[in-house]
């Protein structure tokens, strides 16, 4: 008989050294899955549709029989894929609700000699856990600063000493009009939430968590409301430096992209910049006056950032001038400032 475990036990006992298998159809898997899962579908998209129609018209028994008829010729492929990927490790399986598909695939793999465990409640139980994760209370602190301050780089430095959630990495977007340049396609909203929740689950309870200051929407994906509200109520440490430093930072991030790509993104800012400023920016870009191009764009970004920054309560706003700090000094100063706030609170 196949063993099973609930989703919480899975994350306590099976976080390493196993193969996680999603038995759902490719379409379900592509929309979103438990992060790290391999898709070995019991039924293809077309076969799942056929079985569903059969279930509605003829009932459960006929649908199960049809499912075996359609999937049977592919059993050997499922076994070969699982063996190749598991390399002797135990297999943990799930489908939508921990029902027939994962149980049947488990039976197939166990018959072939693999060790299998089922996730009770399947993917649906994981999604419930995801939504519960966003409702938990966290000790959040936000790293802020105007565009070009190198906040992402500083977060990476902080991550060697503290708990960090890199929202831009999880959502695959840098959070600006230019934010998808050089980035892979964004995950679905559901998959972003899954990855974000898993990152939060991996942080020790009660730990201080650093976030970068972001809008509610990053690219085309939203930070879940419950978590975003906590981030907005958390203390923010705003980094400060001169504009020349910021311009160089932006050019390091975006200056190597083609002029055509940069011009296309610049045009999307017409409504915010105004037609005159947009044309000045495009002319500077075409004439390779890159510093001037960035300087014109900053008028929009600074206005947007300032508006968001002053939405926060004054007692939550702290500033740090980073002009004379090396990376190690900066990390120590940020950690001290964050801890002092929570001690005062």
């Amino acid at each position: 008989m196949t063993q099973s475990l609930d989703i919480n036990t899975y994350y306590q006992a099976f976080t390493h050294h196993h193969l996680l298998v999603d038995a759902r159809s490719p379409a379900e898997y592509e929309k979103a899955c438990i992060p790290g899962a391999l898709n070995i579908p019991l039924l293809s998209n077309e076969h799942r549709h056929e079985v569903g129609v059969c279930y509605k018209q003829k009932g459960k028994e006929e649908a199960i029989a049809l499912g075996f008829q359609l999937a049977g010729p592919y059993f050997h492929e499922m076994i070969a894929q699982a063996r190749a990927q598991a390399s002797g490790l135990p297999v943990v399986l799930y489908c939508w609700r921990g029902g027939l598909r994962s149980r049947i695939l488990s039976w197939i793999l166990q018959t072939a000699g693999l060790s299998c465990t089922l996730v009770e409640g399947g993917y649906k139980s994981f999604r419930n856990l995801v939504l519960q994760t966003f409702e938990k209370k966290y000790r959040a602190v936000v790293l802020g600063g105007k565009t070009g301050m190198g906040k992402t780089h500083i977060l990476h430095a902080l991550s060697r000493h503290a708990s960090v959630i890199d929202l831009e990495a999880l959502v695959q977007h840098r959070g600006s009009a230019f934010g998808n340049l050089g980035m892979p396609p964004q995950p679905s909203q559901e998959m972003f939430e899954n990855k974000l929740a898993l990152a939060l689950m991996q942080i020790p309870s009660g730990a201080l968590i650093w976030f970068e200051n972001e809008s509610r929407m990053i690219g085309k994906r939203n930070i879940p409301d419950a978590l975003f509200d906590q981030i907005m109520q958390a203390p923010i440490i705003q980094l400060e430096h001169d504009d020349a430093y910021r311009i160089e930072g932006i050019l390091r991030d975006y200056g190597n992209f083609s002029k055509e790509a940069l011009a296309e993104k610049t045009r999307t800012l017409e409504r915010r910049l105004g037609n005159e400023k947009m044309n000045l920016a495009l002319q500077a870009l075409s004439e390779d006056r890159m510093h001037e191009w960035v300087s014109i764009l900053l008028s929009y970004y600074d206005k947007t950032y300032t508006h968001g920054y002053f939405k926060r309560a004054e007692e939550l706003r702290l500033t740090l001038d980073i002009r004379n700090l090396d990376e190690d000094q900066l990390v120590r100063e940020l950690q001290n400032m964050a801890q002092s706030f929570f001690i005062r609170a």
Side-chain angles (χ1 to χ4, degrees):
M1 182 177 178
T2 305
Q3 294 181 334
S4 63
L5 74 170
D6 64 46
I7 193 67
N8 287 297
T9 305
Y10 166 73
Y11 277 109
Q12 293 168 10
F14 274 90
T15 51
H16 302 290
H17 310 304
H18 71 285
L19 175 67
L20 180 63
V21 170
D22 186 324
R24 299 174 304 153
S25 68
E28 292 171 288
Y29 175 81
E30 288 166 10
K31 178 185 176 185
C33 65
I34 299 179
L38 170 73
N39 188 212
I40 303 181
L42 184 69
L43 297 170
S44 68
N45 296 331
E46 295 77 13
H47 289 167
R48 178 172 177 255
H49 175 72
E50 289 183 50
V51 170
V53 171
C54 182
Y55 183 90
K56 291 178 181 178
Q57 295 177 349
K58 299 181 179 180
K60 181 177 179 180
E61 290 185 4
E62 290 289 334
I64 291 174
L66 177 60
F68 271 105
Q69 178 186 338
L70 294 172
Y74 302 98
F75 283 1
H76 69 287
E77 294 180 11
M78 300 174 197
I79 292 168
Q81 188 179 7
R83 277 180 172 161
Q85 296 295 325
S87 301
L89 294 174
V91 178
V92 178
L93 302 100
Y94 69 90
C95 57
W96 169 236
R97 286 180 295 192
L100 273 176
R101 286 181 288 177
S102 57
R103 291 207 304 271
I104 292 170
L105 182 56
S106 174
W107 170 75
I108 295 167
L109 299 182
Q110 284 185 309
T111 302
L114 283 81
S115 172
C116 296
T117 301
L118 299 179
V119 176
E120 295 173 3
Y123 178 73
K124 186 175 182 180
S125 69
F126 173 74
R127 278 296 296 171
N128 290 336
L129 180 61
V130 166
L131 299 178
Q132 292 166 17
T133 300
F134 299 139
E135 297 291 340
K136 291 182 177 179
K137 299 302 179 186
Y138 298 102
R139 298 176 70 230
V141 62
V142 179
L143 185 67
K146 294 178 180 178
T147 301
M149 293 298 302
K151 297 184 291 293
T152 299
H153 171 78
I154 294 167
L155 277 181
H156 290 168
L158 267 169
S159 69
R160 295 191 287 270
H161 309 275
S163 297
V164 170
I165 295 292
D166 189 342
L167 292 166
E168 293 183 358
L170 292 170
V171 81
Q172 295 170 191
H173 197 284
R174 295 190 185 92
S176 71
F178 298 80
N180 65 342
L181 290 177
M183 300 291 280
Q186 289 194 269
S188 67
Q189 177 66 32
E190 191 170 308
M191 192 61 196
F192 166 52
E193 291 173 5
N194 291 352
K195 293 162 63 178
L196 174 55
L198 185 56
L200 287 166
M201 283 188 269
Q202 293 171 339
I203 292 175
S205 177
L208 191 152
I209 307 176
W210 288 86
F211 296 87
E212 185 172 343
N213 190 29
E214 302 284 357
S215 301
R216 186 183 297 271
M217 179 173 281
I218 308 177
K220 295 182 179 180
R221 303 294 173 253
N222 289 304
I223 301 172
D225 289 345
L227 181 63
F228 184 76
D229 290 345
Q230 288 196 59
I231 294 172
M232 287 301 295
Q233 293 165 13
I236 182 170
I237 301 176
Q238 176 172 273
L239 307 178
E240 294 185 343
H241 208 303
D242 57 43
D243 286 351
Y245 174 89
R246 296 169 56 211
I247 290 171
E248 292 298 334
I250 292 170
L251 289 175
R252 280 194 300 272
D253 287 341
Y254 297 107
N256 291 326
F257 291 104
S258 71
K259 296 290 175 57
E260 293 77 13
L262 296 176
E264 180 184 349
K265 295 299 182 182
T266 300
R267 291 188 187 97
T268 67
L269 297 174
E270 180 177 7
R271 185 172 62 86
R272 299 177 178 93
L273 281 173
N275 182 263
E276 183 180 354
K277 280 190 175 181
M278 182 199 70
N279 286 328
L280 287 173
L282 289 172
Q283 184 175 352
L285 182 63
S286 68
E287 295 173 358
D288 208 31
R289 291 181 281 115
M290 301 300 289
H291 288 73
E292 185 176 342
W293 168 70
V294 174
S295 182
I296 295 168
L297 296 184
L298 285 183
S299 64
Y300 155 66
Y301 283 109
D302 286 357
K303 186 185 299 183
T304 301
Y305 177 81
T306 302
H307 176 71
Y309 177 70
F310 284 105
K311 280 185 176 180
R312 295 175 184 270
E314 184 177 356
E315 64 270 18
L316 297 178
R317 303 195 304 257
L318 309 171
T319 60
L320 175 62
D321 191 316
I322 66 172
R323 266 173 273 222
N324 298 311
L325 300 177
D326 62 29
E327 186 177 280
D328 290 339
Q329 291 171 328
L330 174 55
V331 167
R332 284 196 300 271
E333 190 64 29
L334 286 170
Q335 287 181 295
N336 290 337
M337 291 176 74
Q339 289 294 343
S340 68
F341 177 89
F342 284 100
I343 290 172
R344 286 189 286 114

